[in-house]
Amino acid sequence: MEISRTFPVNELFFSFQGEGCHMGKSAFFVRTNGCPVGCLWCDSAQTWHRDYKTRGRHLSAVQILHEVGDASPEFLVMTGGEPALHDWSTFNQTIYPLHIETCGAFEIKGSFSWVTVSPKTEKPPTIENIKRADEIKIVVENESSILRWENLIQEHNPQVPVWLTPEWGCRNDPDTLGVIVDFVKNAFALNYRAGFQLHKLYKVDAYDDRTVPPVPLGGNPLRGASI
Ligand code: SF4
């Protein structure tokens, strides 16, 4: 395994996958620093916001796997920030299945057994990444959050599960939740699924001391990373 390449790691922690098709399964998360997209409601702004971007350390694949230790997760999740800014091919020989969670706007480098694409209007996903996605996760504020991606997904990956997750600041908004229910009940166009960020309900990240607290964005404590 190549050891010279390093990754800008914001945090490593053992937890469970809180969203999508693998919800509830144990997972070891590798969260990288850096993302050029800048979503207003980003829940990991500590990876790119100017006041926090110096957090973290550079680690090689060997060093990261050493931190996994005897945790025995079902899989590793490369997340961010934007993990597709990095070439993960040095992890190809690991015994763990590798998952990646990306906005899909950048070429995915490395061998992944599961690809989650969460499209963002600020920097839309490539057609290649839509085709490669094993699941799509749309963060929902209103109906247009869903409709803006429908044609793209229908054209390039019509069978993929499409998870509709309320933006955390809208998690109790009956209008947002009602939109999701409507799309799931009338899922003629795509395989829509009702999603939620289960890990935030559990506050599960707090069960590993290595996690880095998220930072609030935009001055609105009801939005973004404030949980
Ligand atoms: Fe980047 Fe994802 Fe945060 Fe958007 S939500 S700024 S794509 S890390």
Side-chain angles (χ1 to χ4, degrees):
M1 179 179 290
E2 181 185 343
I3 58 171
S4 57
R5 179 178 298 156
T6 60
F7 302 87
V9 173
N10 181 272
E11 59 178 343
L12 303 168
F13 59 97
F14 185 35
S15 180
F16 68 72
Q17 175 56 274
E19 302 177 77
C21 295
H22 293 282
M23 181 188 288
K25 296 179 181 177
S26 68
F28 192 92
F29 288 83
V30 179
R31 186 185 304 285
T32 53
N33 272 325
C35 179
V37 179
C39 304
L40 277 179
W41 35 254
C42 179
D43 64 0
S44 47
Q46 71 272 21
T47 66
W48 58 266
H49 192 279
R50 63 184 179 279
D51 292 342
Y52 300 90
K53 64 184 181 184
T54 56
R55 285 183 176 178
R57 52 204 167 133
H58 281 77
L59 298 177
S60 69
V62 170
Q63 289 171 312
I64 290 171
L65 290 170
H66 180 73
E67 295 244 3
V68 177
D70 57 2
S72 298
E74 291 194 48
F75 46 83
L76 307 187
V77 182
M78 307 320 188
T79 187
E82 178 43 69
L85 296 176
H86 312 288
D87 183 346
W88 296 96
S89 53
T90 51
F91 280 82
N92 287 355
Q93 305 303 319
T94 63
I95 59 171
Y96 299 105
L98 298 180
H99 295 195
I100 188 168
E101 298 179 347
T102 173
C103 70
F106 308 95
E107 181 187 359
I108 297 170
K109 299 172 285 295
S111 180
F112 291 95
S113 60
W114 191 263
V115 174
T116 302
V117 171
S118 183
K120 304 295 185 317
T121 43
E122 289 82 353
K123 202 157 182 54
T126 64
I127 289 173
E128 182 182 333
N129 285 339
I130 289 290
K131 289 179 176 174
R132 186 172 177 181
D134 296 294
E135 66 180 1
I136 305 257
K137 183 182 69 180
I138 296 176
V139 180
V140 179
E141 291 179 288
N142 50 44
E143 189 178 72
S144 66
S145 311
I146 306 168
L147 289 177
R148 69 170 59 102
W149 305 113
E150 198 164 76
N151 288 342
L152 181 69
I153 300 169
Q154 197 168 33
E155 185 173 349
H156 299 290
N157 197 349
Q159 300 304 319
V160 72
V162 181
W163 290 89
L164 305 179
T165 302
E167 191 277 316
W168 192 245
C170 303
R171 65 191 182 283
N172 295 317
D173 183 341
D175 291 338
T176 301
L177 300 180
V179 163
I180 292 174
V181 172
D182 279 348
F183 271 80
V184 172
K185 287 167 69 175
N186 301 291
F188 304 121
L190 292 170
N191 294 318
Y192 288 120
R193 308 278 184 260
F196 208 78
Q197 293 180 301
L198 190 66
H199 54 292
K200 290 185 179 176
L201 278 183
Y202 276 70
K203 299 188 188 320
V204 71
D205 295 2
Y207 288 85
D208 190 324
D209 291 341
R210 291 171 292 187
T211 56
V212 177
V215 299
L217 263 188
N220 184 344
L222 296 179
R223 297 177 66 83
S226 290
I227 54 176

PDB file of all heavy atoms in Angstrom, residues 162-193:
ATOM      1  N   VAL A 162     -33.889   7.185  -4.605  1.00  0.00           N
ATOM      2  CA  VAL A 162     -33.695   8.629  -4.400  1.00  0.00           C
ATOM      3  C   VAL A 162     -34.253   8.992  -3.025  1.00  0.00           C
ATOM      4  O   VAL A 162     -35.464   9.033  -2.821  1.00  0.00           O
ATOM      5  CB  VAL A 162     -34.402   9.457  -5.496  1.00  0.00           C
ATOM      6  CG1 VAL A 162     -34.168  10.949  -5.269  1.00  0.00           C
ATOM      7  CG2 VAL A 162     -33.911   9.037  -6.881  1.00  0.00           C
ATOM      8  N   TRP A 163     -33.346   9.222  -2.072  1.00  0.00           N
ATOM      9  CA  TRP A 163     -33.746   9.526  -0.693  1.00  0.00           C
ATOM     10  C   TRP A 163     -34.048  11.004  -0.568  1.00  0.00           C
ATOM     11  O   TRP A 163     -33.248  11.848  -0.981  1.00  0.00           O
ATOM     12  CB  TRP A 163     -32.634   9.123   0.274  1.00  0.00           C
ATOM     13  CG  TRP A 163     -32.478   7.649   0.378  1.00  0.00           C
ATOM     14  CD1 TRP A 163     -31.681   6.847  -0.402  1.00  0.00           C
ATOM     15  CD2 TRP A 163     -33.153   6.779   1.286  1.00  0.00           C
ATOM     16  NE1 TRP A 163     -31.832   5.544  -0.033  1.00  0.00           N
ATOM     17  CE2 TRP A 163     -32.733   5.464   1.002  1.00  0.00           C
ATOM     18  CE3 TRP A 163     -34.071   6.992   2.297  1.00  0.00           C
ATOM     19  CZ2 TRP A 163     -33.201   4.369   1.708  1.00  0.00           C
ATOM     20  CZ3 TRP A 163     -34.545   5.897   3.013  1.00  0.00           C
ATOM     21  CH2 TRP A 163     -34.104   4.607   2.712  1.00  0.00           C
ATOM     22  N   LEU A 164     -35.187  11.304   0.018  1.00  0.00           N
ATOM     23  CA  LEU A 164     -35.606  12.691   0.240  1.00  0.00           C
ATOM     24  C   LEU A 164     -35.460  12.991   1.729  1.00  0.00           C
ATOM     25  O   LEU A 164     -36.232  12.495   2.552  1.00  0.00           O
ATOM     26  CB  LEU A 164     -37.059  12.866  -0.215  1.00  0.00           C
ATOM     27  CG  LEU A 164     -37.341  12.441  -1.661  1.00  0.00           C
ATOM     28  CD1 LEU A 164     -38.814  12.628  -1.989  1.00  0.00           C
ATOM     29  CD2 LEU A 164     -36.461  13.208  -2.646  1.00  0.00           C
ATOM     30  N   THR A 165     -34.453  13.779   2.058  1.00  0.00           N
ATOM     31  CA  THR A 165     -34.121  14.049   3.458  1.00  0.00           C
ATOM     32  C   THR A 165     -34.459  15.494   3.792  1.00  0.00           C
ATOM     33  O   THR A 165     -33.954  16.403   3.122  1.00  0.00           O
ATOM     34  CB  THR A 165     -32.616  13.818   3.694  1.00  0.00           C
ATOM     35  OG1 THR A 165     -32.295  12.470   3.328  1.00  0.00           O
ATOM     36  CG2 THR A 165     -32.251  14.046   5.153  1.00  0.00           C
ATOM     37  N   PRO A 166     -35.313  15.728   4.798  1.00  0.00           N
ATOM     38  CA  PRO A 166     -35.592  17.127   5.135  1.00  0.00           C
ATOM     39  C   PRO A 166     -34.323  17.830   5.606  1.00  0.00           C
ATOM     40  O   PRO A 166     -33.577  17.284   6.423  1.00  0.00           O
ATOM     41  CB  PRO A 166     -36.630  17.025   6.256  1.00  0.00           C
ATOM     42  CG  PRO A 166     -36.485  15.651   6.817  1.00  0.00           C
ATOM     43  CD  PRO A 166     -36.006  14.784   5.695  1.00  0.00           C
ATOM     44  N   GLU A 167     -34.086  19.016   5.059  1.00  0.00           N
ATOM     45  CA  GLU A 167     -32.991  19.844   5.572  1.00  0.00           C
ATOM     46  C   GLU A 167     -33.223  19.999   7.074  1.00  0.00           C
ATOM     47  O   GLU A 167     -34.354  20.164   7.515  1.00  0.00           O
ATOM     48  CB  GLU A 167     -32.990  21.192   4.832  1.00  0.00           C
ATOM     49  CG  GLU A 167     -31.752  22.028   5.081  1.00  0.00           C
ATOM     50  CD  GLU A 167     -31.842  22.829   6.353  1.00  0.00           C
ATOM     51  OE1 GLU A 167     -32.904  23.420   6.618  1.00  0.00           O
ATOM     52  OE2 GLU A 167     -30.852  22.845   7.117  1.00  0.00           O
ATOM     53  N   TRP A 168     -32.161  19.893   7.868  1.00  0.00           N
ATOM     54  CA  TRP A 168     -32.335  19.743   9.317  1.00  0.00           C
ATOM     55  C   TRP A 168     -33.152  20.881   9.918  1.00  0.00           C
ATOM     56  O   TRP A 168     -33.936  20.671  10.849  1.00  0.00           O
ATOM     57  CB  TRP A 168     -30.972  19.621   9.995  1.00  0.00           C
ATOM     58  CG  TRP A 168     -31.061  19.181  11.416  1.00  0.00           C
ATOM     59  CD1 TRP A 168     -30.712  19.899  12.523  1.00  0.00           C
ATOM     60  CD2 TRP A 168     -31.541  17.916  11.902  1.00  0.00           C
ATOM     61  NE1 TRP A 168     -30.928  19.157  13.666  1.00  0.00           N
ATOM     62  CE2 TRP A 168     -31.440  17.934  13.311  1.00  0.00           C
ATOM     63  CE3 TRP A 168     -32.035  16.770  11.273  1.00  0.00           C
ATOM     64  CZ2 TRP A 168     -31.824  16.866  14.115  1.00  0.00           C
ATOM     65  CZ3 TRP A 168     -32.423  15.693  12.075  1.00  0.00           C
ATOM     66  CH2 TRP A 168     -32.319  15.746  13.467  1.00  0.00           C
ATOM     67  N   GLY A 169     -33.000  22.083   9.383  1.00  0.00           N
ATOM     68  CA  GLY A 169     -33.783  23.208   9.871  1.00  0.00           C
ATOM     69  C   GLY A 169     -35.263  23.086   9.538  1.00  0.00           C
ATOM     70  O   GLY A 169     -36.095  23.797  10.091  1.00  0.00           O
ATOM     71  N   CYS A 170     -35.615  22.179   8.609  1.00  0.00           N
ATOM     72  CA  CYS A 170     -37.011  21.967   8.199  1.00  0.00           C
ATOM     73  C   CYS A 170     -37.562  20.640   8.718  1.00  0.00           C
ATOM     74  O   CYS A 170     -38.640  20.215   8.293  1.00  0.00           O
ATOM     75  CB  CYS A 170     -37.123  21.964   6.668  1.00  0.00           C
ATOM     76  SG  CYS A 170     -36.532  23.435   5.841  1.00  0.00           S
ATOM     77  N   ARG A 171     -36.841  20.025   9.642  1.00  0.00           N
ATOM     78  CA  ARG A 171     -37.208  18.656  10.020  1.00  0.00           C
ATOM     79  C   ARG A 171     -38.563  18.567  10.719  1.00  0.00           C
ATOM     80  O   ARG A 171     -39.169  17.494  10.751  1.00  0.00           O
ATOM     81  CB  ARG A 171     -36.129  18.034  10.908  1.00  0.00           C
ATOM     82  CG  ARG A 171     -35.962  18.717  12.265  1.00  0.00           C
ATOM     83  CD  ARG A 171     -34.725  18.223  12.962  1.00  0.00           C
ATOM     84  NE  ARG A 171     -34.523  18.786  14.280  1.00  0.00           N
ATOM     85  CZ  ARG A 171     -34.059  20.012  14.521  1.00  0.00           C
ATOM     86  NH1 ARG A 171     -33.777  20.824  13.522  1.00  0.00           N
ATOM     87  NH2 ARG A 171     -33.884  20.439  15.751  1.00  0.00           N
ATOM     88  N   ASN A 172     -39.030  19.691  11.290  1.00  0.00           N
ATOM     89  CA  ASN A 172     -40.348  19.701  11.925  1.00  0.00           C
ATOM     90  C   ASN A 172     -41.369  20.509  11.127  1.00  0.00           C
ATOM     91  O   ASN A 172     -42.472  20.765  11.636  1.00  0.00           O
ATOM     92  CB  ASN A 172     -40.243  20.288  13.344  1.00  0.00           C
ATOM     93  CG  ASN A 172     -39.405  19.420  14.270  1.00  0.00           C
ATOM     94  OD1 ASN A 172     -39.540  18.193  14.253  1.00  0.00           O
ATOM     95  ND2 ASN A 172     -38.535  20.034  15.056  1.00  0.00           N
ATOM     96  N   ASP A 173     -41.006  20.913   9.936  1.00  0.00           N
ATOM     97  CA  ASP A 173     -41.905  21.739   9.126  1.00  0.00           C
ATOM     98  C   ASP A 173     -42.902  20.831   8.397  1.00  0.00           C
ATOM     99  O   ASP A 173     -42.502  20.037   7.532  1.00  0.00           O
ATOM    100  CB  ASP A 173     -41.058  22.533   8.118  1.00  0.00           C
ATOM    101  CG  ASP A 173     -41.902  23.476   7.279  1.00  0.00           C
ATOM    102  OD1 ASP A 173     -43.139  23.273   7.205  1.00  0.00           O
ATOM    103  OD2 ASP A 173     -41.320  24.403   6.686  1.00  0.00           O
ATOM    104  N   PRO A 174     -44.183  20.936   8.720  1.00  0.00           N
ATOM    105  CA  PRO A 174     -45.153  20.049   8.085  1.00  0.00           C
ATOM    106  C   PRO A 174     -45.221  20.229   6.576  1.00  0.00           C
ATOM    107  O   PRO A 174     -45.543  19.271   5.852  1.00  0.00           O
ATOM    108  CB  PRO A 174     -46.483  20.422   8.760  1.00  0.00           C
ATOM    109  CG  PRO A 174     -46.242  21.681   9.490  1.00  0.00           C
ATOM    110  CD  PRO A 174     -44.780  21.814   9.727  1.00  0.00           C
ATOM    111  N   ASP A 175     -44.910  21.426   6.087  1.00  0.00           N
ATOM    112  CA  ASP A 175     -44.925  21.628   4.631  1.00  0.00           C
ATOM    113  C   ASP A 175     -43.819  20.816   3.956  1.00  0.00           C
ATOM    114  O   ASP A 175     -44.040  20.142   2.952  1.00  0.00           O
ATOM    115  CB  ASP A 175     -44.761  23.118   4.296  1.00  0.00           C
ATOM    116  CG  ASP A 175     -45.977  23.933   4.709  1.00  0.00           C
ATOM    117  OD1 ASP A 175     -47.071  23.337   4.842  1.00  0.00           O
ATOM    118  OD2 ASP A 175     -45.829  25.151   4.920  1.00  0.00           O
ATOM    119  N   THR A 176     -42.612  20.891   4.525  1.00  0.00           N
ATOM    120  CA  THR A 176     -41.491  20.127   3.956  1.00  0.00           C
ATOM    121  C   THR A 176     -41.768  18.626   4.042  1.00  0.00           C
ATOM    122  O   THR A 176     -41.592  17.890   3.063  1.00  0.00           O
ATOM    123  CB  THR A 176     -40.188  20.459   4.700  1.00  0.00           C
ATOM    124  OG1 THR A 176     -39.923  21.856   4.587  1.00  0.00           O
ATOM    125  CG2 THR A 176     -39.020  19.664   4.129  1.00  0.00           C
ATOM    126  N   LEU A 177     -42.186  18.167   5.210  1.00  0.00           N
ATOM    127  CA  LEU A 177     -42.442  16.734   5.387  1.00  0.00           C
ATOM    128  C   LEU A 177     -43.599  16.286   4.487  1.00  0.00           C
ATOM    129  O   LEU A 177     -43.570  15.182   3.915  1.00  0.00           O
ATOM    130  CB  LEU A 177     -42.744  16.428   6.849  1.00  0.00           C
ATOM    131  CG  LEU A 177     -41.613  16.782   7.835  1.00  0.00           C
ATOM    132  CD1 LEU A 177     -42.028  16.440   9.264  1.00  0.00           C
ATOM    133  CD2 LEU A 177     -40.312  16.073   7.480  1.00  0.00           C
ATOM    134  N   GLY A 178     -44.605  17.160   4.316  1.00  0.00           N
ATOM    135  CA  GLY A 178     -45.732  16.827   3.447  1.00  0.00           C
ATOM    136  C   GLY A 178     -45.313  16.676   1.992  1.00  0.00           C
ATOM    137  O   GLY A 178     -45.815  15.795   1.282  1.00  0.00           O
ATOM    138  N   VAL A 179     -44.392  17.516   1.552  1.00  0.00           N
ATOM    139  CA  VAL A 179     -43.878  17.402   0.180  1.00  0.00           C
ATOM    140  C   VAL A 179     -43.208  16.041  -0.008  1.00  0.00           C
ATOM    141  O   VAL A 179     -43.422  15.339  -1.009  1.00  0.00           O
ATOM    142  CB  VAL A 179     -42.878  18.547  -0.117  1.00  0.00           C
ATOM    143  CG1 VAL A 179     -42.033  18.227  -1.349  1.00  0.00           C
ATOM    144  CG2 VAL A 179     -43.624  19.861  -0.306  1.00  0.00           C
ATOM    145  N   ILE A 180     -42.403  15.638   0.972  1.00  0.00           N
ATOM    146  CA  ILE A 180     -41.710  14.347   0.864  1.00  0.00           C
ATOM    147  C   ILE A 180     -42.718  13.202   0.820  1.00  0.00           C
ATOM    148  O   ILE A 180     -42.618  12.289  -0.009  1.00  0.00           O
ATOM    149  CB  ILE A 180     -40.719  14.188   2.043  1.00  0.00           C
ATOM    150  CG1 ILE A 180     -39.572  15.193   1.884  1.00  0.00           C
ATOM    151  CG2 ILE A 180     -40.188  12.750   2.111  1.00  0.00           C
ATOM    152  CD1 ILE A 180     -38.616  15.232   3.054  1.00  0.00           C
ATOM    153  N   VAL A 181     -43.702  13.255   1.694  1.00  0.00           N
ATOM    154  CA  VAL A 181     -44.732  12.202   1.702  1.00  0.00           C
ATOM    155  C   VAL A 181     -45.431  12.129   0.354  1.00  0.00           C
ATOM    156  O   VAL A 181     -45.645  11.038  -0.198  1.00  0.00           O
ATOM    157  CB  VAL A 181     -45.750  12.461   2.841  1.00  0.00           C
ATOM    158  CG1 VAL A 181     -46.928  11.499   2.725  1.00  0.00           C
ATOM    159  CG2 VAL A 181     -45.076  12.311   4.195  1.00  0.00           C
ATOM    160  N   ASP A 182     -45.759  13.280  -0.208  1.00  0.00           N
ATOM    161  CA  ASP A 182     -46.442  13.291  -1.503  1.00  0.00           C
ATOM    162  C   ASP A 182     -45.595  12.641  -2.592  1.00  0.00           C
ATOM    163  O   ASP A 182     -46.098  11.850  -3.396  1.00  0.00           O
ATOM    164  CB  ASP A 182     -46.766  14.733  -1.921  1.00  0.00           C
ATOM    165  CG  ASP A 182     -48.012  15.246  -1.233  1.00  0.00           C
ATOM    166  OD1 ASP A 182     -48.737  14.430  -0.631  1.00  0.00           O
ATOM    167  OD2 ASP A 182     -48.259  16.473  -1.296  1.00  0.00           O
ATOM    168  N   PHE A 183     -44.295  12.964  -2.617  1.00  0.00           N
ATOM    169  CA  PHE A 183     -43.445  12.400  -3.661  1.00  0.00           C
ATOM    170  C   PHE A 183     -43.299  10.886  -3.491  1.00  0.00           C
ATOM    171  O   PHE A 183     -43.269  10.146  -4.462  1.00  0.00           O
ATOM    172  CB  PHE A 183     -42.072  13.084  -3.661  1.00  0.00           C
ATOM    173  CG  PHE A 183     -42.030  14.310  -4.541  1.00  0.00           C
ATOM    174  CD1 PHE A 183     -42.546  15.514  -4.091  1.00  0.00           C
ATOM    175  CD2 PHE A 183     -41.515  14.249  -5.824  1.00  0.00           C
ATOM    176  CE1 PHE A 183     -42.530  16.646  -4.890  1.00  0.00           C
ATOM    177  CE2 PHE A 183     -41.495  15.367  -6.641  1.00  0.00           C
ATOM    178  CZ  PHE A 183     -42.011  16.584  -6.170  1.00  0.00           C
ATOM    179  N   VAL A 184     -43.209  10.427  -2.252  1.00  0.00           N
ATOM    180  CA  VAL A 184     -43.059   8.977  -2.025  1.00  0.00           C
ATOM    181  C   VAL A 184     -44.348   8.243  -2.410  1.00  0.00           C
ATOM    182  O   VAL A 184     -44.317   7.181  -3.034  1.00  0.00           O
ATOM    183  CB  VAL A 184     -42.683   8.707  -0.555  1.00  0.00           C
ATOM    184  CG1 VAL A 184     -42.719   7.207  -0.261  1.00  0.00           C
ATOM    185  CG2 VAL A 184     -41.297   9.261  -0.260  1.00  0.00           C
ATOM    186  N   LYS A 185     -45.474   8.829  -2.043  1.00  0.00           N
ATOM    187  CA  LYS A 185     -46.756   8.164  -2.336  1.00  0.00           C
ATOM    188  C   LYS A 185     -47.086   8.182  -3.825  1.00  0.00           C
ATOM    189  O   LYS A 185     -47.864   7.351  -4.297  1.00  0.00           O
ATOM    190  CB  LYS A 185     -47.881   8.856  -1.544  1.00  0.00           C
ATOM    191  CG  LYS A 185     -47.826   8.541  -0.055  1.00  0.00           C
ATOM    192  CD  LYS A 185     -48.720   9.443   0.746  1.00  0.00           C
ATOM    193  CE  LYS A 185     -50.191   9.195   0.502  1.00  0.00           C
ATOM    194  NZ  LYS A 185     -51.022  10.043   1.407  1.00  0.00           N
ATOM    195  N   ASN A 186     -46.518   9.125  -4.530  1.00  0.00           N
ATOM    196  CA  ASN A 186     -46.801   9.250  -5.969  1.00  0.00           C
ATOM    197  C   ASN A 186     -45.513   9.106  -6.771  1.00  0.00           C
ATOM    198  O   ASN A 186     -45.226   9.904  -7.660  1.00  0.00           O
ATOM    199  CB  ASN A 186     -47.461  10.597  -6.251  1.00  0.00           C
ATOM    200  CG  ASN A 186     -48.750  10.762  -5.472  1.00  0.00           C
ATOM    201  OD1 ASN A 186     -49.745  10.092  -5.745  1.00  0.00           O
ATOM    202  ND2 ASN A 186     -48.727  11.616  -4.464  1.00  0.00           N
ATOM    203  N   ALA A 187     -44.741   8.088  -6.409  1.00  0.00           N
ATOM    204  CA  ALA A 187     -43.413   7.916  -6.986  1.00  0.00           C
ATOM    205  C   ALA A 187     -43.470   7.299  -8.374  1.00  0.00           C
ATOM    206  O   ALA A 187     -42.911   6.242  -8.631  1.00  0.00           O
ATOM    207  CB  ALA A 187     -42.549   7.069  -6.060  1.00  0.00           C
ATOM    208  N   PHE A 188     -44.146   7.986  -9.281  1.00  0.00           N
ATOM    209  CA  PHE A 188     -44.251   7.458 -10.636  1.00  0.00           C
ATOM    210  C   PHE A 188     -42.969   7.704 -11.425  1.00  0.00           C
ATOM    211  O   PHE A 188     -42.579   6.900 -12.255  1.00  0.00           O
ATOM    212  CB  PHE A 188     -45.425   8.115 -11.361  1.00  0.00           C
ATOM    213  CG  PHE A 188     -46.728   7.955 -10.623  1.00  0.00           C
ATOM    214  CD1 PHE A 188     -47.449   9.054 -10.220  1.00  0.00           C
ATOM    215  CD2 PHE A 188     -47.220   6.689 -10.324  1.00  0.00           C
ATOM    216  CE1 PHE A 188     -48.647   8.912  -9.537  1.00  0.00           C
ATOM    217  CE2 PHE A 188     -48.408   6.539  -9.643  1.00  0.00           C
ATOM    218  CZ  PHE A 188     -49.124   7.654  -9.245  1.00  0.00           C
ATOM    219  N   ALA A 189     -42.341   8.824 -11.182  1.00  0.00           N
ATOM    220  CA  ALA A 189     -41.186   9.190 -11.991  1.00  0.00           C
ATOM    221  C   ALA A 189     -39.926   8.468 -11.539  1.00  0.00           C
ATOM    222  O   ALA A 189     -39.160   7.953 -12.351  1.00  0.00           O
ATOM    223  CB  ALA A 189     -40.976  10.696 -11.930  1.00  0.00           C
ATOM    224  N   LEU A 190     -39.693   8.400 -10.230  1.00  0.00           N
ATOM    225  CA  LEU A 190     -38.455   7.836  -9.699  1.00  0.00           C
ATOM    226  C   LEU A 190     -38.745   7.029  -8.442  1.00  0.00           C
ATOM    227  O   LEU A 190     -39.844   7.090  -7.883  1.00  0.00           O
ATOM    228  CB  LEU A 190     -37.467   8.967  -9.371  1.00  0.00           C
ATOM    229  CG  LEU A 190     -36.891   9.736 -10.562  1.00  0.00           C
ATOM    230  CD1 LEU A 190     -36.147  10.966 -10.090  1.00  0.00           C
ATOM    231  CD2 LEU A 190     -35.972   8.839 -11.386  1.00  0.00           C
ATOM    232  N   ASN A 191     -37.735   6.289  -7.968  1.00  0.00           N
ATOM    233  CA  ASN A 191     -37.881   5.491  -6.748  1.00  0.00           C
ATOM    234  C   ASN A 191     -37.614   6.355  -5.521  1.00  0.00           C
ATOM    235  O   ASN A 191     -36.575   6.243  -4.871  1.00  0.00           O
ATOM    236  CB  ASN A 191     -36.907   4.303  -6.782  1.00  0.00           C
ATOM    237  CG  ASN A 191     -37.258   3.333  -7.887  1.00  0.00           C
ATOM    238  OD1 ASN A 191     -38.422   3.027  -8.113  1.00  0.00           O
ATOM    239  ND2 ASN A 191     -36.243   2.872  -8.608  1.00  0.00           N
ATOM    240  N   TYR A 192     -38.571   7.217  -5.222  1.00  0.00           N
ATOM    241  CA  TYR A 192     -38.395   8.123  -4.088  1.00  0.00           C
ATOM    242  C   TYR A 192     -38.575   7.386  -2.767  1.00  0.00           C
ATOM    243  O   TYR A 192     -39.439   6.531  -2.619  1.00  0.00           O
ATOM    244  CB  TYR A 192     -39.387   9.280  -4.173  1.00  0.00           C
ATOM    245  CG  TYR A 192     -39.078  10.274  -5.261  1.00  0.00           C
ATOM    246  CD1 TYR A 192     -39.979  10.515  -6.287  1.00  0.00           C
ATOM    247  CD2 TYR A 192     -37.882  10.981  -5.248  1.00  0.00           C
ATOM    248  CE1 TYR A 192     -39.696  11.439  -7.289  1.00  0.00           C
ATOM    249  CE2 TYR A 192     -37.586  11.906  -6.245  1.00  0.00           C
ATOM    250  CZ  TYR A 192     -38.497  12.128  -7.259  1.00  0.00           C
ATOM    251  OH  TYR A 192     -38.203  13.032  -8.243  1.00  0.00           O
ATOM    252  N   ARG A 193     -37.727   7.748  -1.794  1.00  0.00           N
ATOM    253  CA  ARG A 193     -37.774   7.171  -0.452  1.00  0.00           C
ATOM    254  C   ARG A 193     -37.790   8.311   0.566  1.00  0.00           C
ATOM    255  O   ARG A 193     -37.077   9.301   0.396  1.00  0.00           O
ATOM    256  CB  ARG A 193     -36.522   6.320  -0.168  1.00  0.00           C
ATOM    257  CG  ARG A 193     -36.213   5.273  -1.235  1.00  0.00           C
ATOM    258  CD  ARG A 193     -37.050   4.032  -1.023  1.00  0.00           C
ATOM    259  NE  ARG A 193     -36.710   2.976  -1.957  1.00  0.00           N
ATOM    260  CZ  ARG A 193     -37.400   2.694  -3.064  1.00  0.00           C
ATOM    261  NH1 ARG A 193     -38.466   3.407  -3.389  1.00  0.00           N
ATOM    262  NH2 ARG A 193     -37.038   1.690  -3.835  1.00  0.00           N
TER     263      ARG A 193
END
